[in-house]
Amino acid sequence: MEIKFNGQKALVTGAGRGIGRETAKMLSKCGATTYALSRTEEHLKTLVEEIVVKGMLADKRHGSIVNISSQASLIALKNHGVYSSTKGALDALTRSMALELGPHGIRVNCVNPTVVLTEMGIKFWTDPVRAGPMLDRIPLKKFAEVEDVVHSIIFLLSDKANSTTGSLHMVDGGTLCC
């Protein structure tokens, strides 16, 4: 399935590293005019060396939840390190915004990953003692790769998902089934 974002603009917060960085790269590769925001200017400078980024801003005041927006949709990506009450609030906010913004043609979805093997995830979750109990709770018995999450984000932002809004998209290897 080919997905193009030619003529569209995307703002990626948290674009300095991890899922946000790979999402910015993929959006740019798919033709979106990409704007990047990160807490660390150095990370953005290296991102610019890899892709064409229209604008960038390093801002230490922002948290680590990744929000991706294009002209027609918004996606929130839950940070695994945030407390569960905040995750529930983000789910509720996603549904509420979908209801409120839907009449304006704006789709709002949330991507909920399990442990993702970002640079930080690899450092923390490669210890078999720590990883074992978590992997036992995941039916697919594996953690998500960064591209698993990025592909979900790109799909939800695309016209291929133009009837999807208010969705809580799980990228969890089946954890929620248990």
Side-chain angles (χ1 to χ4, degrees):
M1 172 175 3
E2 185 176 359
I3 296 177
K4 294 289 183 191
F5 294 105
N6 297 335
Q8 295 192 32
K9 297 176 183 175
L11 168 65
V12 182
T13 64
R17 299 190 321 184
I19 297 166
R21 182 183 190 92
E22 295 305 313
T23 300
K25 288 166 58 174
M26 183 62 78
L27 285 164
S28 180
K29 182 179 177 181
C30 292
T33 301
T34 305
Y35 297 84
L37 179 67
S38 176
R39 289 185 276 169
T40 310
E41 187 175 348
E42 182 180 317
H43 294 145
L44 288 176
K45 287 180 181 177
T46 60
L47 177 62
V48 170
E49 293 170 4
E50 295 181 47
I51 65 169
V52 176
V53 175
K54 187 72 173 179
M56 62 180 191
L57 177 64
D59 186 348
K60 295 180 182 179
R61 295 173 296 161
H62 286 69
S64 58
I65 291 171
V66 179
N67 300 299
I68 297 89
S69 66
S70 74
Q71 292 176 352
S73 61
L74 302 170
I75 293 182
L77 172 66
K78 289 185 185 172
N79 179 334
H80 229 2
V82 180
Y83 293 109
S84 60
S85 61
T86 304
K87 293 177 185 180
L90 188 54
D91 287 349
L93 179 63
T94 297
R95 291 183 183 115
S96 176
M97 288 178 65
L99 287 172
E100 194 167 321
L101 298 175
H104 302 285
I106 299 172
R107 297 178 288 118
V108 182
N109 295 292
C110 185
V111 176
N112 302 333
T114 184
V115 172
V116 180
L117 295 177
T118 60
E119 181 181 328
M120 185 185 327
I122 291 168
K123 286 180 185 176
F124 191 79
W125 291 103
T126 53
D127 174 8
V129 173
R130 181 176 289 147
M134 184 64 156
L135 286 169
D136 287 343
R137 295 177 44 208
I138 302 173
L140 290 181
K141 303 296 182 209
K142 69 181 193 87
F143 296 134
E145 298 289 339
V146 172
E147 59 267 7
D148 298 333
V149 181
V150 171
H151 289 247
S152 294
I153 292 168
I154 296 300
F155 169 74
L156 288 169
L157 286 172
S158 77
D159 290 340
K160 307 291 185 203
N162 65 9
S163 289
T164 304
T165 193
S167 159
L168 309 175
H169 185 78
M170 306 308 291
V171 184
D172 69 351
T175 304
L176 196 61
C177 299
C178 298

